[in-house]
Amino acid sequence: MGKAIYEKNDIKLDNYNLLVDEALFHNANGYIGVRSAFEEGYPENFKTIRGEYINGFYDFTQTEQAENIYGLVHEKQTMLNVADTQSIDIYFDDEKFSIFEGTVLKSKRWVDMDKGITGRFVSWRSPKGKEVEIKVIRMASFYQLSLFTIEYQIKPINFSGDVMIESNHNGNVKNFFDPHDPRNADESFQYLTPESCYIQYGASYINSHTSKSGLEVCSCVKNFLSGESERQFIINESNAQCQMSTIAQPGKKIKLIKYAVFADSLRVENCKVTAASEMKKALSVSLQELYKHQEDYLAEYWENSYVEIQGDNELDMALKYNLFQLIQSVSKDEYGNIAPKGLSGEGYEGQYFWDSEMYIQPFFTITNPEITKSLIAYRYEILDKAKENAKLLGHKKGALYPWRTIMGKECSGYFPAGSAQYHINGDIAYSIIAYYLATKDLDFIQEKGAEIIFETARLWMDVGNFYNGQFHINDVTGPDEYTCIVNNNYYTNALAQYNLQWAVKLYFQMRKLPEFRKMQKRIKLSYEEITEFKKAAEQMYLPYDEKLKINPQDDSFLQKKHWDIDTIPKKNFPLLLHYHPLHLYRYQVCKQPDTILAHFILEDSQPQEVIRNSFAYYEKITTHDSSLSRCIFSISASRLGLEDKAFKYFGDSTKLDLMDLHKNTKDGIHTANIGGNYMAIIYGFGGLRIKESGIYFAPILPKKWTGYRFRICFENRRIIVGITKDHCTFFIESGEPIAINVYKKEYLLDGKLTIHRKKTLRRED
Ligand code: BGC
């Protein structure tokens, strides 16, 4: 794979860019995430989102509803900013190091995706003329998930004298808020109260509890300074400052290593004891060994998720940067999942959405299926809460997953574009089936997946009804958030149908297995219900317009007014920030793919002509105001042989964070977009589909590239796919031979297979 370092020279010191860099250079490992604020801070008038987060660690917070309508959400969950362990202040005699004063001679920031570290280098001249080089390396360890380290090197160039270091461990923290952006929390509150702050064996501990969720977190920090001459701790109830002194000599490096570990009560019994043992574990090996473990972990990750673009180095690097963010963001246990911003910021308050199943899980399913298992296990953990949610919304049976959540309860305050998105049930079911099709891991389906598929299927039976011989699902919202509360949303109905069909299939496939029978008994699943599932699936109503030969997004979509989006002033995008929702709902205008997404994931449910016409229709009216949009259009364009378009959508989308294209990367990176871009290569250009009938490829090659290669994992086999101008090669690295389908023709893959590449491709050809 390509270049492993993303770097920025000459750090821009304006506030906006610093906020974006806090997200772009953050460190995370799926458990903890630390935004990349300067250790020494910014000037007082600067804004910072100086966050450290734990995946899935939350508090409850009130959410105002103007009217007390039954069932609306009054309390949501928010991911908490936990103790700040990144502060380090350096004093050279009486001068404090700050790159906002004096002169910056050289500066740079980088993230090394092979080593799993970020770095900052500054060559600085103080106002009084002291020259010094500072290099800071930070790591959130994949080897030990509780651990975050800072290696801080100081090289005095032209002076000697006293150096004083203040290393802070601060439990007095708040979350970020922005009352002007609905994608952020709207008020600030002190969620965490430190209840003890103490020093033990040279380490500081802060133990805090949440205001309402009854959770606890303990952080422990220990500093090691080379050539240390003196040390003292200054502590109060919420802050522990370790003051250390040493001597500067020209050319002689001073090194501070700061270890921070976290333990939270979601995962462990006794946070203080665990924090102490985690610190002991971290210190039992050298920092160099920890770096080595980090590199080893990533070497395996890159091998499994290998993808390389040949002939466009910049894009290849952006891709690698993006995929690094996915492994940084995804939880490695069932207590967490993956949030739209990962652990890089507070946008969407760290809650989990359908983004996980439909945009990110596909990547893990074909590269690291163990991670998909853990994401599904999270959904299994909150299944009971989803059943409670279904009850709250008036359903007599089944489970309804909340649209956005951390611990399983609904968090969306605005239900038309939130709780009404029932398709999340179908998304979760779809992703479990996708896992099954790619792995054939029936044991796991039996253990966790099937129950979710039955409970979500049950819900469709309760929300929908038979009318005139067809099954209808009314008053729901599809993925497009500019069209809300509609009847028969095509995407929702198509997925519900798939969900029901698979509930029936799994039932017949597993009904004789003892474990399955136990579960069936426990959830009281009857044969009559299965018969009803079958009937509803067969009679599912899928909107179709005879005249346009497209699938309308829902029953009323085509009746609505047209709005030529080219006439809307650029400054009014995203429309959600400039128009009342009702205004948007009355137009044929889409925030993101809805029917187009259904056509991608369930491509056999419509004839090619309908898919082609629908693409042309929705393309004109989609604003791509969501970062989840362009990647899907790219995949669909690839499928339709619209190669230039496919490439254009892909290119615009891949650098979304690195170029801050949506102007909100400061709130965090966009993980669904990243997963979607990966899909745009593998499913889009590569044409991969994994179906019940087997594995399919139909590769195209973007004109600008000389080739691309990727590795996927399919039913315990590792397959490398390589595309060049003239050929497609498939190589089975491990596992049994298998039949694969390329450009609609079947081949036996037993070793290496080379096929001439089709130069132009209309998929119906
Ligand atoms: C999109 C949703 C998405 C959410 C979180 C919204 O802008 O419309 O589809 O789930 O962002 O990424």
Side-chain angles (χ1 to χ4, degrees):
M1 219 164 160
K3 204 173 160 205
I5 296 181
Y6 167 67
E7 61 186 22
K8 267 192 186 176
N9 285 305
D10 302 323
I11 304 171
K12 289 200 185 112
L13 292 183
D14 64 285
N15 201 170
Y16 183 79
N17 274 296
L18 288 173
L19 286 170
V20 173
D21 285 353
E22 284 181 3
L24 287 181
F25 295 99
H26 82 287
N27 300 90
N29 56 18
Y31 175 63
I32 44 170
V34 184
R35 277 175 69 93
S36 188
F38 290 169
E39 288 76 9
E40 67 278 12
Y42 309 144
E44 255 173 34
N45 57 343
F46 271 40
K47 216 194 238 177
T48 171
I49 309 174
R50 200 181 173 86
E52 300 200 20
Y53 314 107
I54 292 182
N55 204 349
F57 188 76
Y58 65 93
D59 202 0
F60 292 118
T61 168
Q62 293 306 113
T63 171
E64 292 290 318
Q65 295 282 357
E67 291 167 50
N68 199 12
I69 295 170
Y70 178 81
L72 293 194
V73 169
H74 289 280
E75 187 183 68
K76 58 185 177 178
Q77 303 122 54
T78 193
M79 174 176 79
L80 295 188
N81 181 13
V82 296
D84 181 348
T85 65
Q86 56 177 317
S87 299
I88 298 170
D89 290 320
I90 315 281
Y91 296 84
F92 301 110
D93 292 325
D94 57 345
E95 287 188 292
K96 181 175 186 283
F97 168 63
S98 161
I99 59 175
F100 296 93
E101 282 160 27
T103 315
V104 176
L105 305 170
K106 204 172 160 196
S107 71
K108 145 172 148 175
R109 289 182 118 166
W110 67 97
V111 43
D112 186 323
M113 283 87 77
D114 281 338
K115 295 190 170 149
I117 52 171
T118 59
R120 175 165 70 117
F121 174 80
V122 183
S123 169
W124 180 71
R125 186 185 301 128
S126 73
K128 291 189 182 163
K130 294 188 186 79
E131 272 179 36
V132 62
E133 285 176 5
I134 307 259
K135 183 175 163 194
V136 188
I137 302 292
R138 297 157 57 124
M139 170 178 77
S141 169
F142 289 110
Y143 164 73
Q144 185 182 341
L145 295 176
S146 61
L147 177 65
F148 170 64
T149 59
I150 301 179
E151 182 185 357
Y152 200 109
Q153 285 179 24
I154 304 164
K155 187 171 160 197
I157 301 294
N158 64 352
F159 67 100
S160 48
D162 289 338
V163 180
M164 220 269 278
I165 299 177
E166 289 174 357
S167 173
N168 280 297
H169 177 187
N170 181 16
N172 191 10
V173 283
K174 281 190 172 179
N175 276 52
F176 177 72
F177 72 105
D178 181 352
H180 305 298
D181 189 334
R183 297 162 297 187
N184 279 303
D186 51 3
E187 55 182 317
S188 175
F189 182 75
Q190 176 102 29
Y191 293 104
L192 274 178
T193 310
E195 61 191 14
S196 57
C197 174
Y198 55 93
I199 310 296
Q200 208 172 56
Y201 301 120
S204 59
Y205 288 77
I206 298 180
N207 199 61
S208 306
H209 63 259
T210 58
S211 73
K212 286 193 191 136
S213 61
L215 296 176
E216 193 184 320
V217 58
C218 184
S219 45
C220 171
V221 171
K222 199 157 181 177
N223 297 279
F224 294 88
L225 176 67
S226 63
E228 179 178 317
S229 53
E230 236 179 275
R231 161 180 299 221
Q232 62 166 336
F233 282 100
I234 299 184
I235 68 167
N236 60 29
E237 64 288 347
S238 58
N239 189 61
Q241 184 177 85
C242 178
Q243 293 185 347
M244 294 157 279
S245 310
T246 185
I247 302 292
Q249 284 168 354
K252 195 162 173 237
K253 280 190 193 150
I254 299 166
K255 195 192 276 186
L256 170 74
I257 305 176
K258 184 169 184 179
Y259 295 85
V261 295
F262 295 85
D264 72 86
S265 64
L266 275 174
R267 294 163 172 95
V268 303
E269 284 287 317
N270 188 325
C271 296
K272 293 182 194 167
V273 170
T274 307
S277 63
E278 287 294 311
M279 181 55 84
K280 200 167 161 205
K281 179 174 171 197
L283 301 179
S284 67
V285 293
S286 68
L287 185 62
Q288 291 315 314
E289 276 172 86
L290 289 170
Y291 287 156
K292 174 83 177 59
H293 285 307
Q294 185 84 340
E295 230 175 309
D296 290 348
Y297 181 95
L298 285 168
E300 196 183 327
Y301 174 68
W302 290 124
E303 188 171 319
N304 290 338
S305 47
Y306 166 70
V307 42
E308 182 173 1
I309 294 172
Q310 290 144 353
D312 191 337
N313 292 343
E314 211 185 305
L315 203 58
D316 190 53
M317 190 281 300
L319 177 65
K320 189 152 189 183
Y321 174 87
N322 283 353
L323 296 185
F324 180 64
Q325 301 312 326
L326 290 187
I327 195 65
Q328 287 216 107
S329 307
V330 71
S331 174
K332 313 295 182 297
D333 64 32
E334 70 275 25
Y335 301 103
N337 198 281
I338 179 165
K341 309 287 178 191
L343 295 163
S344 67
E346 295 171 34
Y348 295 117
E349 298 180 64
Q351 296 151 0
Y352 315 125
F353 293 65
W354 72 314
D355 304 34
S356 307
E357 282 76 21
M358 298 314 285
Y359 285 81
I360 300 159
Q361 218 161 288
F363 161 70
F364 287 115
T365 301
I366 57 168
T367 58
N368 288 275
E370 282 303 311
I371 291 185
T372 289
K373 254 171 109 168
S374 150
L375 293 171
I376 297 173
Y378 161 83
R379 291 295 185 187
Y380 188 74
E381 286 293 306
I382 62 165
L383 182 59
D384 283 342
K385 293 267 178 330
K387 288 186 195 166
E388 285 168 25
N389 188 42
K391 279 205 189 92
L392 179 78
L393 273 87
H395 301 296
K396 289 177 286 305
K397 56 184 177 184
L400 175 61
Y401 277 96
W403 173 242
R404 48 195 290 180
T405 188
I406 296 180
M407 49 68 80
K409 281 190 175 171
E410 180 62 272
C411 292
S412 63
Y414 181 63
F415 75 88
S419 321
Q421 296 201 46
Y422 276 48
H423 66 86
I424 189 160
N425 258 19
D427 303 325
I428 292 171
Y430 177 89
S431 77
I432 294 171
I433 298 154
Y435 169 78
Y436 172 66
L437 292 177
T439 61
K440 301 292 172 329
D441 178 1
L442 200 58
D443 288 346
F444 183 69
I445 297 299
Q446 198 180 189
E447 190 192 326
K448 301 211 158 119
E451 193 173 332
I452 298 180
I453 290 174
F454 292 125
E455 294 293 2
T456 47
R458 275 177 162 165
L459 197 278
W460 296 124
M461 298 310 299
D462 196 74
V463 59
N465 58 286
F466 291 97
Y467 171 69
N468 277 349
Q470 289 188 302
F471 193 79
H472 293 251
I473 298 176
N474 292 327
D475 297 305
V476 296
T477 297
D480 167 31
E481 296 186 351
Y482 288 171
T483 312
C484 288
I485 321 248
V486 292
N487 293 344
N488 293 311
N489 167 252
Y490 176 84
Y491 178 91
T492 307
N493 287 21
L495 265 192
Q497 182 181 47
Y498 191 71
N499 190 166
L500 291 161
Q501 284 164 345
W502 270 92
V504 177
K505 270 185 212 171
L506 288 178
Y507 175 81
F508 285 109
Q509 196 172 339
M510 305 199 303
R511 73 191 151 145
K512 299 215 171 96
L513 305 175
E515 282 305 310
F516 180 81
R517 292 174 81 104
K518 269 192 229 155
M519 182 263 288
Q520 186 189 353
K521 212 166 149 201
R522 181 165 47 79
I523 68 168
K524 299 194 180 70
L525 180 72
S526 68
Y527 183 71
E528 287 67 45
E529 273 184 292
I530 299 293
T531 319
E532 282 290 290
F533 290 173
K534 188 160 177 286
K535 188 172 154 205
E538 282 166 2
Q539 297 185 13
M540 184 65 70
Y541 166 68
L542 296 174
Y544 175 69
D545 186 79
E546 283 289 348
K547 217 163 93 209
L548 296 170
K549 295 196 170 30
I550 65 166
N551 294 120
Q553 203 165 288
D554 56 71
D555 281 355
S556 62
F557 193 78
L558 298 181
Q559 301 166 12
K560 296 182 177 178
K561 287 182 274 191
H562 288 269
W563 188 4
D564 180 357
I565 53 178
D566 292 336
T567 63
I568 305 174
K570 285 230 161 11
K571 63 175 180 34
N572 287 2
F573 291 93
L575 302 183
L576 67 112
L577 296 185
H578 299 92
Y579 298 88
H580 192 282
L582 281 172
H583 181 92
L584 299 175
Y585 301 168
R586 294 197 181 106
Y587 283 94
Q588 290 192 41
V589 63
C590 304
K591 183 179 179 189
Q592 61 203 100
D594 195 301
T595 309
I596 300 300
L597 180 55
H599 285 167
F600 157 44
I601 59 172
L602 299 170
E603 64 177 11
D604 296 326
S605 62
Q606 295 299 328
Q608 295 293 337
E609 191 197 3
V610 177
I611 293 186
R612 184 176 292 283
N613 294 340
S614 302
F615 180 85
Y617 192 88
Y618 292 105
E619 192 185 20
K620 287 198 206 77
I621 56 174
T622 304
T623 60
H624 307 294
D625 280 351
S626 161
S627 71
L628 281 62
S629 191
R630 286 194 171 84
C631 44
I632 303 301
F633 272 80
S634 173
I635 298 172
S636 303
S638 286
R639 184 187 190 284
L640 294 166
L642 306 169
E643 300 177 15
D644 291 342
K645 247 182 200 174
F647 189 62
K648 171 103 185 51
Y649 280 123
F650 171 78
D652 285 354
S653 194
T654 299
K655 293 182 197 150
L656 186 135
D657 282 320
L658 289 179
M659 296 179 65
D660 190 21
L661 295 178
H662 274 216
K663 295 280 165 250
N664 64 355
T665 293
K666 67 170 181 31
D667 298 322
I669 49 139
H670 296 75
T671 56
N673 170 267
I674 294 173
N677 286 326
Y678 174 81
M679 285 201 282
I681 301 174
I682 315 296
Y683 294 80
F685 303 137
L688 172 74
R689 297 291 183 275
I690 297 179
K691 302 181 182 177
E692 226 183 329
S693 50
I695 182 162
Y696 296 76
F697 298 91
I700 58 173
L701 178 69
K703 285 197 193 90
K704 279 196 178 164
W705 303 358
T706 52
Y708 60 104
R709 287 164 66 77
F710 55 89
R711 177 184 282 116
I712 57 165
C713 170
F714 177 65
E715 292 177 359
N716 269 327
R717 296 173 184 85
R718 295 267 161 197
I719 302 174
I720 290 246
V721 183
I723 315 300
T724 59
K725 225 161 130 265
D726 300 316
H727 296 105
C728 312
T729 52
F730 300 86
F731 177 58
I732 186 156
E733 289 181 309
S734 64
E736 299 290 299
I738 186 174
I740 63 169
N741 191 303
V742 188
Y743 300 124
K744 296 197 169 160
K745 211 171 142 200
E746 195 171 290
Y747 301 86
L748 179 71
L749 182 58
D750 178 8
K752 191 170 174 184
L753 173 73
T754 304
I755 293 170
H756 271 285
R757 192 175 70 76
K758 279 202 177 180
K759 292 293 156 54
T760 51
L761 187 70
R762 284 170 66 91
R763 289 296 163 81
E764 49 265 72
D765 296 344

